Amino acid sequence: MKKASVISIGNELLSGRTVDTNCAHLSERLLSISIPVVSSYVVRDEVEAIVRSLDLAVGEADVVLITGGLGPTDDDVTRQALAAFLKVELQFQGELLEKIMVFFARRGRQMAIKNKVQAYIPAGSKALANNLGTAPGIMAKVGEKLLFALPGVPSEMERMFEESVIPELRKLDVERVIVIRKLRCFGTGESNIAELLGDFGRRGRNPLINFTAGHGVITLHIVATAANEAQARRMAEKDEKQLRGMLGEFVYGTGEQTLAEVVGDKLARKGKTIAVAESCTGGLVSKLLTDVPGASRYLTHGWITYSNGAKISELGVASGLIEKHGAVSEEVAQAMARRAREKAGADAAIAVTGIAGPTGGREQKPVGLVYVSVEWDGGSDSKRFSFSGDREAIRLRTALTALNMLRLKI
Ligand code: ATP
Ligand code: MG
């Protein structure tokens, strides 16, 4: 099996100013084309340090991807480092300079003298076109091994990887093919899912089932390895079917699907509409729903009724109800959902009220206490939750939980 190593270059990655998302992106993409990443290095903008990491990477991988340090300023030294590692000179390429000049001319800008250094690449290497920026990428060969240097800017790096690197990697004989299918789950904990899976979770199994979790969304990665793609696909599909059977309604989707997409899709298919009334989430449920293009097919209204007064004046929740039970109560959540649905004339409604913290909690009503209510034609359901984490985590968990409650009802 072919293996890869990723080198992320930049002082800002070591000082914590920038999170290394390039490595995560490349690792996922490389694995999806059956070239697992076996090591990654984060290195400062310094020739010797980069050369050292190249020595290590080339020693353990067939494909090495470098990102960052291709810019025009003096602190960008990836070109020099690559030339030093390859033991060749940097060579000026007139064609590259022309492309950089065209890039500036199209934007009506004058090219700075500094940008000329970007027209130099190590002798014997190949330039990779950058359609979003000025820095060309570089491809070099060391024996049978392939080295790629890509820009640090994530959007430029991703585009160049898809357009120039993937076609080169597809020419490699990967020997064993990996197919990954993702199953997205919500509504129970990671340990419960692991228990339901039983032997499927065994290490060393093929397909291997990996878990990732965040904000209540648990993702099962079914990683099937086989001699060819068709076989790996069959193995992954067979596992997916069995896992779905075992996990039932905890599974809400596959691949990169979000809860909002799945809920929206269900509403659209049934020709149903929805309204949202939010307190502690401050519009997050509506935000998640409207992240999906075409949400206007089903979302009619979203109210943020943060104060008691707004719950009364905008939705028509009875003031006596709030006085009696408090704004964070099942009764008020229920009334918010019912009134939102009526006022919007929608088929369904979601309402949330809770205490996101870090202040505002009391013994009776601690931080993380949340009530979610959903109403639809034919019924209503309200639930009390007690979430942990910081304000952001509680709010996101609340919004996702509300969407999940609706998913199970429609
Ligand atoms: P240029 O200088 O032309 O923009 P470059 O190839 O020199 O390109 P850098 O200067 O290293 O790239 O980085 C440009 C931007 O991309 C910076 O804002 C940096 O924070 C970001 N960046 C660099 N490397 C990474 C990375 N590994 N993950 C996420 N962002 C990164
Ligand atoms: Mg840099």
Side-chain angles (χ1 to χ4, degrees):
M1 180 163 263
K2 291 277 187 285
K3 291 173 287 191
S5 183
V6 175
I7 304 176
S8 308
I9 295 170
N11 295 340
E12 74 276 17
L13 302 171
L14 290 164
S15 67
R17 265 182 293 142
T18 303
V19 176
D20 180 7
T21 55
N22 285 349
C23 180
H25 178 86
L26 288 173
S27 300
E28 186 165 16
R29 288 294 291 127
L30 286 162
L31 187 57
S32 80
I33 56 165
S34 306
I35 305 178
V37 170
V38 293
S39 63
S40 88
Y41 302 91
V42 180
V43 181
R44 62 187 180 275
D45 293 289
E46 187 191 284
V47 172
E48 293 74 35
I50 299 171
V51 170
R52 264 199 306 278
S53 67
L54 277 166
D55 275 326
L56 290 170
V58 167
E60 62 203 344
D62 308 280
V63 178
V64 177
L65 285 136
I66 308 164
T67 78
L70 291 180
T73 49
D74 295 339
D75 58 346
D76 290 314
V77 295
T78 299
R79 263 178 302 272
Q80 289 91 311
L82 205 51
F85 173 75
L86 297 167
K87 300 192 173 67
V88 298
E89 294 293 312
L90 280 173
Q91 236 172 28
F92 175 71
Q93 308 241 334
E95 260 171 66
L96 289 178
L97 185 62
E98 252 163 62
K99 278 191 188 153
I100 297 168
M101 288 168 88
V102 167
F103 179 91
F104 281 101
R106 284 226 180 100
R107 285 159 184 77
R109 279 157 54 196
Q110 183 77 30
M111 188 192 92
I113 303 287
K114 278 269 180 223
N115 282 96
K116 202 179 161 197
V117 301
Q118 295 182 308
Y120 284 80
I121 62 171
S125 62
K126 183 180 152 191
L128 307 173
N130 186 343
N131 293 315
L132 298 175
T134 57
I138 300 167
M139 175 174 135
K141 266 193 166 175
V142 187
E144 287 300 298
K145 311 212 169 185
L146 289 176
L147 299 186
F148 296 91
L150 308 177
V153 181
S155 58
E156 292 178 27
M157 183 283 291
E158 287 169 26
R159 174 103 175 245
M160 196 179 288
F161 180 77
E162 297 304 322
E163 290 179 352
S164 305
V165 179
I166 290 257
E168 296 294 337
L169 298 183
R170 292 228 187 265
K171 293 180 198 159
L172 297 176
D173 177 12
V174 294
E175 296 147 29
R176 303 274 291 166
V177 176
I178 298 172
V179 166
I180 302 170
R181 292 186 73 94
K182 293 184 200 168
L183 273 188
R184 304 274 179 181
C185 309
F186 199 93
T188 188
E190 210 173 343
S191 44
N192 188 37
I193 297 250
E195 223 163 272
L196 289 170
L197 292 192
D199 198 45
F200 275 77
R202 202 181 69 243
R203 297 298 87 188
R205 182 180 181 277
N206 183 21
L208 184 65
I209 314 292
N210 287 329
F211 285 72
T212 52
H215 303 292
V217 176
I218 295 161
T219 306
L220 301 181
H221 306 248
I222 305 168
V223 186
T225 311
N228 60 61
E229 177 150 354
Q231 197 187 340
R233 197 163 296 282
R234 270 198 304 279
M235 288 162 64
E237 278 165 8
K238 183 171 164 232
D239 262 26
E240 179 184 333
K241 209 167 155 197
Q242 283 183 296
L243 293 180
R244 276 179 180 278
M246 294 158 93
L247 299 173
E249 64 180 18
F250 291 134
V251 178
Y252 75 78
T254 53
E256 303 309 311
Q257 271 185 318
T258 64
L259 271 167
E261 266 169 42
V262 171
V263 166
D265 189 52
K266 266 187 151 177
L267 289 166
R269 270 191 287 120
K270 297 186 174 196
K272 302 279 187 198
T273 56
I274 184 179
V276 180
E278 303 182 62
S279 190
C280 64
T281 43
L284 188 53
V285 177
S286 300
K287 193 264 177 198
L288 294 176
L289 283 167
T290 53
D291 279 341
V292 184
S296 60
R297 286 173 297 162
Y298 40 85
L299 180 68
T300 66
H301 294 65
W303 283 273
I304 302 170
T305 52
Y306 212 61
S307 66
N308 290 352
K311 291 178 182 70
I312 296 162
S313 66
E314 301 308 308
L315 291 173
V317 174
S319 59
L321 201 69
I322 298 179
E323 271 160 40
K324 187 165 172 207
H325 303 283
V328 179
S329 62
E330 181 163 349
E331 289 79 2
V332 169
Q334 227 162 28
M336 285 168 68
R338 191 178 326 118
R339 293 295 299 136
R341 179 163 170 251
E342 283 167 11
K343 285 199 83 134
D347 297 302
I350 292 179
V352 299
T353 178
I355 301 163
T359 53
R362 272 168 279 122
E363 202 183 322
Q364 295 295 311
K365 296 191 175 179
V367 168
L369 174 69
V370 169
Y371 291 93
V372 179
S373 187
V374 297
E375 283 250 341
W376 65 99
D377 41 359
S380 71
D381 189 18
S382 301
K383 281 204 171 88
R384 175 189 201 273
F385 297 93
S386 124
F387 296 130
S388 53
D390 61 13
R391 185 172 174 85
E392 193 188 341
I394 290 170
R395 284 162 30 116
L396 186 51
R397 186 69 177 266
T398 301
L400 291 171
T401 299
L403 291 173
N404 193 53
M405 268 175 71
L406 186 69
R407 169 182 75 95
L408 296 173
K409 296 299 172 196
I410 53 175

